[in-house]
């Protein structure tokens, strides 16, 4: 039902039309609402809080009284910081306009936080609606990271991370044997193995310093120290830190080919730019050359660039100085159609005619730094090739550190990659054993133990060779008499017997021998006759 009312505007009278609401039957002007429902019914029928969460969870640390924003933030109850944390927990507020927000008082022991919100939203035809509601949040206890560190019983206080970013592990194998020989790992809690090295964990900082100082005496290293605050007592001014030592080893390793900068060669008296590293201690030893850890050197590894050469002739050439001489070796290589090449080498007392040597073929290397060098040898011999079948006759073994592998991966393809890395590491360790077997100087710093299982499998002839130490053949003046091949081999007299305290003593054999002697003595007594 429509009703018309007159509305006076100045001297003119304009009629005003009103209708009845379809819900409450109250008269209202439809031109203002543009609906058939009055304003009060619209407010009663519409809920603009739909889609807004009215409950939430706030993470609270009871020890440091901080709330998780993130990060963990210290704020008091009914503070602006806590209010912002609570509003961020609500969903759907981006569709409405917040008019007011305030806390409703609750007891702290109730672990409840109530927030009174007033929002505004356009409902119908430019009709803005305002509504007030209460949101409730529950405080959930969660220990923050700092409190976890403070209340967790820490098993280690210092760690030493030894890293060498190279493709092979020869340096770490040698370092492992040095630690075992001199008992430098007696205070270690655990050892973890990673891709580029080892992690040593200690209880105190002094034990970690002891390892770092020992490493500085045997290898050129670069050390970086860092610490992290675990806990502190403000009243007594005590701080508890965790210390980490990052130890970097040089990328140059034994048997690597080193290319020196031209400026350094001039400072050292005009030495050649291409050098072979034959030893690694506190300084890097190329042939008659000393290098520092801080220098950036370009190195080439033998693992990826090795070639085989067959020895044709070995000749000692004396210089004008009677006390000096060098070895000239004639070799052939398959890549050069077996054309003989004569090179100078430090392996003259090791190589013989007909043997196979392993080294670098510089003519096959594609390296930019070699293009600037005018005079460099075609081939560089590194060591003699060892027959893999001779590994079956190896009568010694080495002890290993008990390290945990923390790089374990899951999945089919990842497992295959892990297995490939493990097989590659085992092959590298066998090559390291070959170097130990033929290098007397290296064996001085390593404890070799008898491998009883392999000794039992050896034949009598092979066992006799291992038992007898061959006498070194003295070189006569101007005679080409060389040392025997087996002179540097490991003998049984050089090996230590592995002591295992868990093994029980074997008493069966001595008891049987004594019992046999007693039985034989009794049988002899039975044959004795006593004459009256």
């Amino acid at each position: 039902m429509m009703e018309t009312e007159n509305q006076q505007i100045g001297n003119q009278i304009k009629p005003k039309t009103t209708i009845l609401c379809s819900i409450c039957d109250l008269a209202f002007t439809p031109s203002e609402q543009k609906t058939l429902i009055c304003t009060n019914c619209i407010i009663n029928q519409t809920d603009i809080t739909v889609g807004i969460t009215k409950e939430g969870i706030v993470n609270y640390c009871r020890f440091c009284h901080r709330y998780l924003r993130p990060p963990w933030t210290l704020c008091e109850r009914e503070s602006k910081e806590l209010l912002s944390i609570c509003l961020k927990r609500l969903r759907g507020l981006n569709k409405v306009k917040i008019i007011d927000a305030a806390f409703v008082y609750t007891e702290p022991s109730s672990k409840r936080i109530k927030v009174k919100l007033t929002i505004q939203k356009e409902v119908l035809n430019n009709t803005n609606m305002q509504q007030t509601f209460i949101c409730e949040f529950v405080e959930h206890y969660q220990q923050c990271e700092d409190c976890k560190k403070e209340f967790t019983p820490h098993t280690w206080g210092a760690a030493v991370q030894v890293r060498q970013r190279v493709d092979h592990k020869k340096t770490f194998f040698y370092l492992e044997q040095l630690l075992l020989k001199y008992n430098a790992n007696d205070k270690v809690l655990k050892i973890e193995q990673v891709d580029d090295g080892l992690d040593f964990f200690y209880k105190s900082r002094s034990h970690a310093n002891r390892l770092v100082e020992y490493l500085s005496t045997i290898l050129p290293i670069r050390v970086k120290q860092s610490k992290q605050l675990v806990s502190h007592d403000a009243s007594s001014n005590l701080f508890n830190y965790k210390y980490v030592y990052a130890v970097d080893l040089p990328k140059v390793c034994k048997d690597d080919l080193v290319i020196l900068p031209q400026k350094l060669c001039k400072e050292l008296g005009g030495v050649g730019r291409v050098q072979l590293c034959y030893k690694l201690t506190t300084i890097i030893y190329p042939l008659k050359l000393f290098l520092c850890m801080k220098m950036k050197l370009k190195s080439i590894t033998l693992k990826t660039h090795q070639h085989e050469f067959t020895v044709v002739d070995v000749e000692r050439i004396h210089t004008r100085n009677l006390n000096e001489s060098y070895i000239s070796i004639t070799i052939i290589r398959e890549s050069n159609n077996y054309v003989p090449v004569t090179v100078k080498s430090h392996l003259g007392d090791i190589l013989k005619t007909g043997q196979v040597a392993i080294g670098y073929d510089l003519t096959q290397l594609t390296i930019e730094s070699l293009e600037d060098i005018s005079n460099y040898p075609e081939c560089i011999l590194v060591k003699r090739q060892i027959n893999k079948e001779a590994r079956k006759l190896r009568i010694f073994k080495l002890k290993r550190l008990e390290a945990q592998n923390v790089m374990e991966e899951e999945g089919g393809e990842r497992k295959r990659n892990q297995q490939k890395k493990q097989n590659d590491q085992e092959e590298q360790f066998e090559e390291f054993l070959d170097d130990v077997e033929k290098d007397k100087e290296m064996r001085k710093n390593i404890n070799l133990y008898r491998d009883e299982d392999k000794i039992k499998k050896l034949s009598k002839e092979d066992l006799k060779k291992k038992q007898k130490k061959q006498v070194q053949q003295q070189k006569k003046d101007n005679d080409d008499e060389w040392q025997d091949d087996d002179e540097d081999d490991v003998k049984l007299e050089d090996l230590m017997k592995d002591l295992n305290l868990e093994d029980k003593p074997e008493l069966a054999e001595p008891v049987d021998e004594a019992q046999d002697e007693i039985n034989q003595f009794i049988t002899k007594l039975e044959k004795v006759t006593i004459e009256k």
Side-chain angles (χ1 to χ4, degrees), residues 64-103:
C64 59
H65 307 290
R66 293 189 299 176
Y67 293 88
L68 180 61
R69 173 175 275 183
W72 291 92
T73 306
L74 180 62
C75 51
E76 298 180 356
R77 293 179 68 89
E78 299 186 3
S79 62
K80 295 186 296 182
E81 293 80 5
L82 183 57
L83 182 60
S84 64
I85 293 174
C86 294
L87 294 179
K88 288 182 180 180
R89 296 290 189 274
L90 299 179
R91 298 180 181 178
L93 291 179
N94 56 345
K95 299 179 181 179
V96 298
K97 182 180 179 181
I98 300 176
I99 303 300
D100 187 21
F103 285 100

Side-chain angles (χ1 to χ4, degrees), residues 513-528:
E513 293 178 359
Q515 189 66 31
D516 293 339
E517 293 178 359
I518 294 172
N519 293 334
Q520 293 177 3
F521 181 72
I522 293 174
T523 54
K524 291 179 180 180
L525 289 178
E526 292 177 354
K527 297 179 180 180
V528 175

Side-chain angles (χ1 to χ4, degrees), residues 15 48 77 151 298 305 314 324 428 454 469 516:
I48 61 175
R77 293 179 68 89
F151 289 94
K298 296 181 180 180
H305 299 87
V314 180
E324 294 183 1
Q428 292 177 13
K454 289 188 177 181
K469 270 193 173 182
D516 293 339

Side-chain angles (χ1 to χ4, degrees), residues 243-289:
Y243 299 90
V244 177
Y245 296 89
V247 180
D248 291 333
L249 303 181
K251 295 183 180 181
V252 179
C253 301
K254 184 176 179 293
D255 299 336
D256 284 357
L257 198 64
V258 183
I259 301 176
L260 304 180
Q262 189 172 3
K263 182 179 179 181
L264 177 62
C265 295
K266 292 180 180 179
E267 294 177 357
L268 295 174
V271 298
R273 293 188 59 186
V274 180
Q275 298 289 335
L276 178 67
C277 178
Y278 71 92
K279 191 177 181 181
L280 188 65
T281 59
T282 51
I283 50 179
I284 304 171
Y285 284 88
L287 292 178
K288 297 183 180 180
L289 186 63

